Amino acid sequence: MKYQTFNEDIIRLVGGKDNIQAVVHCMTRLRFTLKDRSKAQTEELKKLGGVIDVVSNNVAYQIIIGTHVNEVHAELISMLGLSPVTDDEKGTDAKKNPLKAVMDLLSETMTPVIEPIIASGLLAGFLSLFSITGLISADSPTYQLLDSIRSAVFFFLPIFIAMSCAKRLKASPYLAVALAAVLVSSSINDVAGLSIFGIKLPQMVYANSFIPIILAVWFMGRLTVLLNKYVPKFLQYFLNPLLIMVICLPVTLLIFGPIGIWIGDGIGWFFEVLHNTFGSWIVVMLYAALQPFLIMLGAGNFMMPLALNFVNKMGYDPIFLAAATISDIAVSGAMLGYFLRAKDAKQKQLFGTVSFSALMGVTEPAIYGAFIKFRRPFIAVMIGGGLGGLFAGLMKVKTYSIVWGLMGLPSYADNQDISNLVFMIISVVIGFVGAAIAAFVLGIPQEEKGTEKTTETEVATGTVTNLKKVPLGNVVEGEVVPLAEINDQAFSTGALGKGLGIIPANNQIVAPIDGEISAVFPTKHAIGLKTQEGIEVLIHIGIDTVELDGQYFDTIVKQGDIVKAGQLLATVDFSGIKDAGYDPTVIVVVTNTVEYLDVIPTVQENMLDDGACLTVIL
């Protein structure tokens, strides 16, 4: 999980899980309902990296994160075991891209399961090494006892998967695990001649599989919602678990089991065609070169289901796990190249630390701490990782266990395949050395020195040339309020970007510029817009109006709509908002202000239809 450590710190500093009654979010902040606010360590929270500010008022205990708060919130509620659907998020699931939803599900399901999988994979690798060197015989009781860890983890994989995805799919984790246990039991798993209700069942192996149980748990979640709606509450405790199990088992055996196997076979067929047409080397090369980008996008675990499918079907993964290892160690090499190139002591410490962590298979510190800032390491990994992946693909390197990283190398000698281990070591060395050399040659971008910041006066008077000005039109008629005077610390401090406030004189909110609606919050109090130049505009209607849950708001547009400057976005009953006791000030900020030379608010005291409220200097 991308924000796991960050969320763990937040949970600890607000008083622990037991002190959290509920948590929702708006466009920029987490809003906690705490049982006892005195337990929250507000000053420590303010010092936490990633926290812009903390606001505690009679509305809620608010931790201001920024516009990526929805990602933080999604992981936070998962860690807390709360439902991902809250009052402030009604209707968001329906608009989610189906493919992205499936990829998110697979990625997030695999994340908690990786721990036992890595343990069993590493153990299998070392047992193979010990067997080859003669330290432990493969026939000895010690070997067989330790090997049972590996075999048990993969045999009972459906149980781990069921527990991992149940809450996300709105199913009971315990009923999901019970269903998975039934599927891998000796009465069903790989048993021929079974039938139910007179219908003959195909002989299927559910052990080691993951797709059938995910489909089954998805159905269980849907069925649970349906039963909770129609079964009387006084009968639900006793009747629902029975109905769920009795309905889900036959449906899984008749429908989801075969579908899951067909999907798995289809994945295998696709890569077999790819292998026969182009050669698997091209996929290995591309994945080894591009994995840091996938990690940055939060899709680093998408390859796990594919690798599992290969291991289940073929006994080894010919593509992804080897490529992931080569890429991780190439990241380490790139950071070593920067370590050797750097002269500043603090930079050397950073590059050395993240290089070692990447060598151990943990690349996020390098990617988020150095790659995003300096960018050139991405090119270095594409060179080194690509070359290492190319060699591994051409030599047909096989990964026999679900494991990656330096510690997983012994597993490549499984089945006495010494040449496979040698080829993998050579691939890793190519990736590491190639990335290190490329990073050293590319160098560390030097920050510009001696440049003076352009002032607002110079820009406004036109004394600075070669600057492109992008005006943002008015969003609502009314009296202009400087951002510093807004009664909300997140905005008044400029932490969310430069902008201004407008005390509205009419009820119409219009688009300030041509662009795409990037977000419409479910409670309708905030709208995001992104222009063709990449300018990200946040229109926040009122202060703390998220609590109104959409009352007094009528939003005309939806996420993804293309709008023109002056087009109506929403109508708002500002009188009703004021009568309800809320500040109606409309706040307009450019949330990615740091990407531009400056964002200059208007000097007018009143905004009219034809005025420009902000000017962005590119």
Side-chain angles (χ1 to χ4, degrees):
M1 297 175 73
K2 183 177 177 181
Y3 299 101
Q4 182 172 353
T5 303
F6 181 53
N7 279 326
E8 286 173 350
D9 289 337
I10 288 178
I11 292 170
R12 173 175 56 84
L13 293 173
V14 298
K17 287 185 179 181
D18 293 339
N19 196 38
I20 300 172
Q21 186 173 329
V23 55
V24 295
H25 74 90
C26 66
M27 291 290 282
T28 58
R29 66 199 75 191
L30 297 169
R31 293 173 176 267
F32 285 86
T33 302
L34 301 178
K35 296 176 183 177
D36 183 356
R37 287 200 191 184
S38 65
K39 292 182 179 180
Q41 303 176 48
T42 301
E43 294 305 315
E44 293 300 317
L45 275 166
K46 289 181 179 180
K47 297 175 184 177
L48 188 63
V51 171
I52 296 171
D53 203 352
V54 179
V55 178
S56 180
N57 56 30
N58 59 352
V59 176
Y61 191 84
Q62 306 170 53
I63 301 178
I64 303 164
I65 305 295
T67 52
H68 62 293
V69 68
N70 60 321
E71 299 174 23
V72 177
H73 177 263
E75 292 185 11
L76 176 62
I77 59 172
S78 176
M79 293 168 66
L80 292 171
L82 300 175
S83 169
V85 180
T86 65
D87 289 340
D88 284 341
E89 297 170 306
K90 291 175 183 176
T92 56
D93 289 345
K95 299 185 180 187
K96 193 171 185 179
N97 183 293
L99 179 60
K100 186 179 186 301
V102 171
M103 295 302 295
D104 287 347
L105 171 63
L106 291 176
S107 180
E108 293 177 23
T109 296
M110 295 310 305
T111 299
V113 180
I114 287 176
E115 192 173 4
I117 286 177
I118 286 180
S120 60
L122 288 174
L123 182 60
F126 283 111
L127 285 176
S128 297
L129 192 62
F130 294 155
S131 175
I132 291 170
T133 56
L135 292 175
I136 300 178
S137 170
D139 297 324
S140 69
T142 300
Y143 184 100
Q144 292 174 7
L145 227 133
L146 292 174
D147 190 54
S148 66
I149 297 176
R150 174 198 59 80
S151 58
V153 167
F154 287 104
F155 184 89
F156 294 109
L157 182 64
I159 293 178
F160 292 106
I161 296 293
M163 174 60 77
S164 180
C165 70
K167 285 184 178 179
R168 179 176 175 83
L169 295 175
K170 303 183 181 70
S172 162
Y174 300 100
L175 291 179
V177 165
L179 179 62
V182 172
L183 294 177
V184 300
S185 69
S186 58
S187 302
I188 292 178
N189 185 59
D190 201 21
V191 175
L194 294 177
S195 64
I196 189 166
F197 306 130
I199 304 172
K200 188 176 180 180
L201 297 173
Q203 182 178 351
M204 300 191 64
V205 177
Y206 289 96
N208 306 306
S209 67
F210 68 95
I211 298 177
I213 192 61
I214 289 179
L215 294 173
V217 174
W218 169 81
F219 176 74
M220 180 181 286
R222 298 283 175 156
L223 181 62
T224 300
V225 172
L226 195 65
L227 292 176
N228 287 339
K229 183 177 181 180
Y230 291 105
V231 175
K233 288 190 178 296
F234 70 93
L235 292 176
Q236 287 182 7
Y237 182 80
F238 302 98
L239 196 57
N240 281 15
L242 174 63
L243 291 174
I244 287 170
M245 292 300 293
V246 171
I247 294 172
C248 285
L249 179 60
V251 171
T252 301
L253 296 175
L254 289 168
I255 301 175
F256 297 128
I259 289 177
I261 301 302
W262 294 337
I263 292 174
D265 290 343
I267 294 171
W269 173 84
F270 172 76
F271 282 101
E272 183 179 347
V273 170
L274 192 67
H275 177 271
N276 294 334
T277 306
F278 302 102
S280 59
W281 59 268
I282 192 169
V283 187
V284 180
M285 178 183 70
L286 288 174
Y287 192 87
L290 301 177
Q291 182 179 245
F293 291 101
L294 296 173
I295 292 173
M296 187 178 65
L297 295 172
N301 289 331
F302 101 95
M303 58 87 179
M304 281 298 297
L306 302 177
L308 276 169
N309 185 70
F310 277 129
V311 173
N312 291 337
K313 296 292 181 183
M314 303 168 59
Y316 61 88
D317 169 26
I319 298 176
F320 294 104
L321 294 170
T325 296
I326 294 166
S327 181
D328 286 350
I329 296 180
V331 169
S332 176
M335 290 296 91
L336 177 64
Y338 264 21
F339 173 81
L340 297 174
R341 186 69 182 258
K343 295 180 180 179
D344 181 77
K346 288 185 178 180
Q347 283 192 339
K348 271 190 173 293
Q349 182 179 9
L350 168 67
F351 298 142
T353 301
V354 298
S355 176
F356 179 76
S357 69
L359 192 65
M360 295 295 104
V362 183
T363 57
E364 283 81 0
I367 291 170
Y368 292 109
F371 276 52
I372 292 177
K373 179 178 180 181
F374 298 108
R375 299 183 184 178
R376 294 181 188 178
F378 283 113
I379 300 173
V381 172
M382 290 177 69
I383 294 171
L387 290 173
L390 175 61
F391 182 83
L394 291 173
M395 295 298 105
K396 295 180 170 55
V397 171
K398 304 176 180 67
T399 312
Y400 293 106
S401 299
I402 306 294
V403 66
W404 62 93
L406 191 66
M407 298 297 291
L409 289 180
S411 65
Y412 288 85
D414 204 4
N415 299 328
Q416 307 293 313
D417 195 349
I418 302 299
S419 61
N420 188 61
L421 173 61
V422 172
F423 289 142
M424 182 58 185
I425 291 173
I426 294 173
S427 303
V428 163
V429 171
I430 292 173
F432 181 83
V433 175
I437 293 173
F440 187 87
V441 172
L442 289 169
I444 305 170
Q446 297 296 316
E447 295 183 4
E448 295 183 11
K449 296 179 180 179
T451 57
E452 296 181 0
K453 184 174 177 65
T454 306
T455 65
E456 292 184 11
T457 303
E458 290 175 318
V459 173
T461 58
T463 56
V464 178
T465 59
N466 298 323
L467 296 180
K468 181 180 179 181
K469 303 177 183 179
V470 179
L472 303 184
N474 188 22
V475 298
V476 65
E477 290 186 19
E479 179 185 345
V480 175
V481 180
L483 202 63
E485 296 179 13
I486 299 294
N487 189 27
D488 187 305
Q489 286 179 275
F491 292 105
S492 63
T493 59
L496 295 175
K498 289 188 175 183
L500 49 68
I502 303 171
I503 299 174
N506 66 25
N507 292 341
Q508 294 187 334
I509 304 295
V510 299
I513 193 171
D514 297 352
E516 179 182 355
I517 300 298
S518 58
V520 176
F521 203 71
T523 49
K524 305 178 183 180
H525 75 292
I527 299 171
L529 187 148
K530 187 172 184 179
T531 74
Q532 188 175 7
E533 295 88 354
I535 301 169
E536 297 174 3
V537 183
L538 172 63
I539 304 170
H540 197 282
I541 308 168
I543 297 174
D544 288 329
T545 47
V546 64
E547 303 299 326
L548 294 172
D549 198 23
Q551 188 179 6
Y552 308 117
F553 296 89
D554 183 15
T555 305
I556 309 299
V557 293
K558 62 182 184 300
Q559 184 175 342
D561 283 355
I562 305 298
V563 297
K564 295 291 185 180
Q567 182 176 332
L568 184 65
L569 302 180
T571 55
V572 184
D573 181 1
F574 286 110
S575 296
I577 290 175
K578 286 189 285 186
D579 291 343
Y582 291 88
D583 186 335
T585 303
V586 177
I587 306 165
V588 186
V589 294
V590 175
T591 56
N592 58 342
T593 293
V594 294
E595 297 179 16
Y596 303 105
L597 182 62
D598 210 342
V599 176
I600 304 173
T602 180
V603 294
Q604 299 181 60
E605 293 183 359
N606 289 281
M607 290 304 306
L608 302 174
D609 284 340
D610 57 353
C613 65
L614 299 171
T615 302
V616 181
I617 310 300
L618 306 187

